[in-house]
Amino acid sequence: MSAERLRQQLDFLVEIDRLKEIERQTRIVGGGRRENTAEHSWHLAMYALILAEHSNDDIDVLHVLTLCLVHDIVEIDAGDTFAYDASANTDKDERERRAAERLFGLLPADQAAFMWRLWEEYEAMETPESRFANAVDRMQPAMLNHVAGEASTWKEHAVTVPQAVKRLSPIGDGSATLWSHTQSIIDEAHRRGHIREE
Amino acid sequence: MSAERLRQQLDFLVEIDRLKEIERQTRIVGGGRRENTAEHSWHLAMYALILAEHSNDDIDVLHVLTLCLVHDIVEIDAGDTFAYDASANTDKDERERRAAERLFGLLPADQAAFMWRLWEEYEAMETPESRFANAVDRMQPAMLNHVAGEASTWKEHAVTVPQAVKRLSPIGDGSATLWSHTQSIIDEAHRRGHIREE
């Protein structure tokens, strides 16, 4: 085990501390502040651990957890792109790819390649594990918005029912049970006026 | 799959959002604010994932990750107990046990038992996985203090070399390599006056 290898690993682990400063749109349950991406990633991993039994397909839970922990690290350079902001989403791929090159490039080559594979797998949504990780990544902010009610980012950004359904329906590719529950959340938010008709 | 079971799981996942409000002593790398326990738990899981190869013993990485994600959830009720605060540590066990009863008790019985087993395993430090999880849990704040320098909580709380060695030496039970590196961090902090002689 070379000292240089450990140094690269620790440099990466110090650098990704910055994920604690990346602000998302969603608000935490207590108090009014917005959630940061590091604590979101922890929460997501807990969603995956507790809800794994609801996956449509058999999944390797370790693999889902690593996808949850790693997939947002590129936001350190690329920032969080609000899911309902169409214009910001046009150059999201390019921004995130440059971020992955710099950040994963801090690691020894084998671990950089491991991070790249995880991130690309997550984005492609082609494996059962990435479909389930994507499902909880969409459900967790929906749950926070459900709890926030009047203070939801759906209301703040005047999100419509068709927009919410488009954003959240991929939950069904990971879990029919969780998508069914999320639909009931959308219905209730619509009834209460937190999500607009159109 | 009963609707009641899913409701219990989601109640638990909403409740543990509160971990984002539990403040630790350590400061994040950028800016002056202190770290919260949710983002700390994410960072810890990343430490475990990237540094697993340095474990003294063969470890099941999924198991280490779940220990990292789950072991601090009791702080939602019990608060973070600063490692160098001897008086606060006297009733820590009792406070955390009551917290575990309430929080894990929100889950279906089988998952509550799973959480209890993880938490007790972490605390006992008897398995290779819990020794390695404890090692990174002690190393991560040491790394943040190393980066913080003058602003380290070691300096803020006038921590001494014997106190730091006592707190951090269990890193060696999980990883001789990581303990050797941490010793060099303690030495440097001592040389720079961030950790006192005694």
Side-chain angles (χ1 to χ4, degrees):
Chain A
M1 207 79 70
S2 76
E4 170 64 9
R5 183 170 171 86
L6 178 59
R7 191 195 60 72
Q8 290 176 312
Q9 292 169 331
L10 294 177
D11 282 352
F12 174 77
L13 289 168
V14 167
E15 181 66 22
I16 65 172
D17 197 81
R18 301 273 169 186
L19 202 60
K20 301 168 188 170
E21 297 173 75
I22 304 300
E23 194 174 75
R24 293 166 50 85
Q25 286 296 317
T26 327
R27 292 175 190 284
I28 64 170
V29 169
R33 80 164 169 86
R34 296 188 198 267
E35 189 185 38
N36 72 57
T37 304
E39 61 197 5
H40 163 74
S41 299
W42 164 78
H43 207 182
L44 211 55
M46 286 302 302
Y47 264 72
L49 188 66
I50 296 294
L51 300 175
E53 69 195 47
H54 303 292
S55 172
N56 293 342
D57 304 300
D58 282 344
I59 45 174
D60 173 343
V61 178
L62 170 58
H63 198 64
V64 177
L65 292 186
T66 53
L67 290 169
C68 290
L69 295 170
V70 164
H71 82 285
D72 270 341
I73 287 175
V74 293
E75 292 187 4
I76 289 170
D77 285 357
D80 178 60
T81 306
F82 185 46
Y84 297 98
D85 181 346
S87 67
N89 275 280
T90 54
D91 67 338
K92 177 171 178 274
D93 284 358
E94 179 51 29
R95 277 183 290 123
E96 293 194 345
R97 193 157 284 275
R98 281 198 305 271
E101 273 169 25
R102 186 184 78 79
L103 291 159
F104 302 156
L106 296 170
L107 284 166
D110 60 314
Q111 292 191 312
F114 173 58
M115 292 287 135
W116 268 104
R117 282 198 304 276
L118 286 169
W119 179 60
E120 289 180 331
E121 179 187 343
Y122 179 85
E123 294 290 317
M125 291 180 63
E126 283 167 2
T127 62
E129 284 79 11
S130 70
R131 284 196 292 270
F132 191 71
N134 267 281
V136 292
D137 192 28
R138 286 159 203 255
M139 187 175 187
Q140 185 261 3
M143 287 292 296
L144 287 182
N145 276 327
H146 174 62
V147 173
E150 286 292 323
S152 75
T153 51
W154 288 329
K155 181 150 191 182
E156 182 181 0
H157 293 283
V159 169
T160 66
V161 171
Q163 285 174 325
V165 168
K166 185 179 174 202
R167 169 68 192 161
L168 298 173
S169 61
I171 292 173
D173 298 335
S175 166
T177 305
L178 298 183
W179 171 229
S180 167
H181 186 80
T182 308
Q183 282 177 297
S184 70
I185 288 175
I186 296 172
D187 289 347
E188 189 180 328
H190 178 215
R191 234 176 13 252
R192 293 186 174 182
H194 304 151
I195 297 185
R196 294 194 309 167
E197 180 75 29
E198 61 183 322
Chain B
M1 208 79 68
S2 77
E4 170 65 7
R5 183 171 170 87
L6 178 59
R7 190 195 59 71
Q8 290 176 311
Q9 292 170 329
L10 294 178
D11 282 353
F12 173 77
L13 290 168
V14 168
E15 182 66 22
I16 64 171
D17 197 80
R18 301 273 171 186
L19 202 59
K20 300 167 189 170
E21 298 173 75
I22 303 301
E23 193 173 78
R24 294 166 49 85
Q25 286 295 317
T26 327
R27 293 175 189 283
I28 64 170
V29 169
R33 79 164 169 86
R34 296 188 198 268
E35 188 184 38
N36 72 57
T37 305
E39 62 197 6
H40 163 72
S41 298
W42 165 77
H43 207 180
L44 212 55
M46 288 301 304
Y47 265 71
L49 189 65
I50 296 295
L51 300 176
E53 69 195 48
H54 303 293
S55 172
N56 292 343
D57 303 300
D58 281 344
I59 45 173
D60 173 344
V61 177
L62 170 58
H63 198 64
V64 176
L65 291 186
T66 55
L67 290 169
C68 289
L69 294 169
V70 165
H71 82 284
D72 270 341
I73 287 177
V74 294
E75 292 187 4
I76 289 170
D77 286 357
D80 177 60
T81 306
F82 185 46
Y84 297 97
D85 180 347
S87 67
N89 275 280
T90 55
D91 68 339
K92 177 171 178 272
D93 284 359
E94 178 51 28
R95 279 183 287 123
E96 293 195 344
R97 192 157 284 275
R98 282 198 305 272
E101 272 169 25
R102 185 184 79 79
L103 291 158
F104 301 156
L106 296 170
L107 284 166
D110 61 313
Q111 292 190 313
F114 173 59
M115 291 288 134
W116 268 103
R117 282 196 305 275
L118 286 169
W119 179 59
E120 289 179 331
E121 179 187 343
Y122 179 86
E123 294 291 317
M125 292 180 63
E126 283 167 1
T127 62
E129 285 79 10
S130 69
R131 283 195 293 268
F132 191 71
N134 267 281
V136 291
D137 191 28
R138 287 160 203 253
M139 188 176 186
Q140 185 261 2
M143 287 292 297
L144 287 182
N145 275 326
H146 173 64
V147 173
E150 286 293 322
S152 75
T153 52
W154 289 328
K155 181 149 192 185
E156 182 181 1
H157 294 283
V159 169
T160 66
V161 171
Q163 285 175 325
V165 169
K166 184 180 174 201
R167 168 68 191 160
L168 298 173
S169 61
I171 293 173
D173 298 335
S175 166
T177 305
L178 298 183
W179 171 229
S180 166
H181 186 79
T182 308
Q183 283 178 297
S184 71
I185 288 175
I186 296 172
D187 288 347
E188 188 180 329
H190 177 215
R191 231 174 15 247
R192 292 186 174 183
H194 305 150
I195 297 184
R196 295 194 308 168
E197 179 76 27
E198 59 182 324

